[in-house]
Amino acid sequence: MTIRKTATTRVPVHPLLAERWSPRGFDIQHEVGADQLTALLEAARWAPSANNSQPWRFVVTHRGTAEFDHLTDLLAPGNRVWAANAGALILVAAQLVDDNGQPLRFALYDTGQAVAHLITQAQAEGLATHQMGGFDTAGVSDFMGLGTDVTPVVVVAVGQFDDAAELAEPLATRERAPRSRRPLDDLVLPLDASVRQVA
Ligand SMILES: Cc1cc2nc3c(=O)[nH]c(=O)nc-3n(C[C@H](O)[C@H](O)[C@H](O)COP(=O)(O)O)c2cc1C
């Protein structure tokens, strides 16, 4: 048995997008294959970016290593309890300036887009992902030796979804709750309201 949280959409969207969701139940026995992880990183690598600047950076840690344990310790307590069971934790960071020290204005935008590629590839591989912004950014930066030009953005838990994983409340209830989104009409602004009227 698995939990399905298929997105409700006006018209069909690709199943990789409709079926993806962010679980907290991960199978602690499961190891993410090396080729699968490489596929995730390749998908991210080929994301578009402003001026092809590719500001995304990744640090991959595997469950069962000291690095994974240390990164887990730097997660917010509410994330630590379940993310420790994931097969891998990927720190995603963004390079904020180019080689000439000029700010990369779209660095965070581009990095988010690379993560969108990564999690969609994971879905295609049959892997679950759950992004986390709740972590000690200064601690991670220090631990990873990122310096001032590279900022930590998210940690992505990657692994195999486990429907039977034990979760304390309120996470157990959230795990089974349907996904929700604002209606499309809230997001697509009517043209007459968004265009400045010219006399
Ligand atoms: C930048 C970012 C930060 C997030 N931080 C956390 C987090 O710290 N803990 C957590 O449980 N989920 C976190 N999430 C997951 C979101 O809550 C989740 O993606 C959202 O509720 C939509 O659910 P879905 O991914 O299942 O569609 C984060 C997601 C993103 C994109």
Side-chain angles (χ1 to χ4, degrees), residues 20-24 79 82 130-134 154 179 181:
R20 183 212 59 80
W21 62 285
S22 303
R24 294 185 174 86
N79 289 330
W82 53 266
H130 196 135
Q131 299 175 62
M132 293 166 280
V154 285
R179 297 163 67 216
R181 290 296 189 270

Side-chain angles (χ1 to χ4, degrees), residues 65-134:
T65 65
E67 292 79 12
F68 179 99
D69 290 345
H70 194 68
L71 185 53
T72 304
D73 286 342
L74 292 165
L75 298 175
N79 289 330
R80 196 182 302 149
V81 286
W82 53 266
N85 290 351
L89 292 176
I90 303 178
L91 169 70
V92 181
Q95 172 92 36
L96 299 174
V97 295
D98 67 15
D99 293 344
N100 300 317
Q102 295 303 307
L104 289 167
R105 185 159 79 86
F106 294 102
L108 294 176
Y109 178 93
D110 292 339
T111 300
Q113 191 153 223
V115 175
H117 275 216
L118 185 153
I119 66 173
T120 306
Q121 181 66 34
Q123 185 73 14
E125 303 280 337
L127 294 168
T129 55
H130 196 135
Q131 299 175 62
M132 293 166 280

Side-chain angles (χ1 to χ4, degrees), residues 26 32 37 40 86-90 118 122 127-130 156-160:
F26 284 96
V32 182
L37 266 174
L40 269 53
L89 292 176
I90 303 178
L118 185 153
L127 294 168
T129 55
H130 196 135
V156 188
V158 183
Q160 184 157 290

Side-chain angles (χ1 to χ4, degrees), residues 29 78 98 120 148 154 176 198:
Q29 307 295 337
D98 67 15
T120 306
T148 52
V154 285
R176 284 175 165 69
V198 185

Side-chain angles (χ1 to χ4, degrees), residues 3 15-16 33-35 58 63 69-70 75-76 101 104 106 117 124 147 155 174-175 196:
I3 300 172
L16 287 177
D35 283 356
F58 306 98
R63 195 187 59 244
D69 290 345
H70 194 68
L75 298 175
L104 289 167
F106 294 102
H117 275 216
V155 176
R174 265 186 229 162
E175 189 80 339
R196 191 184 296 267

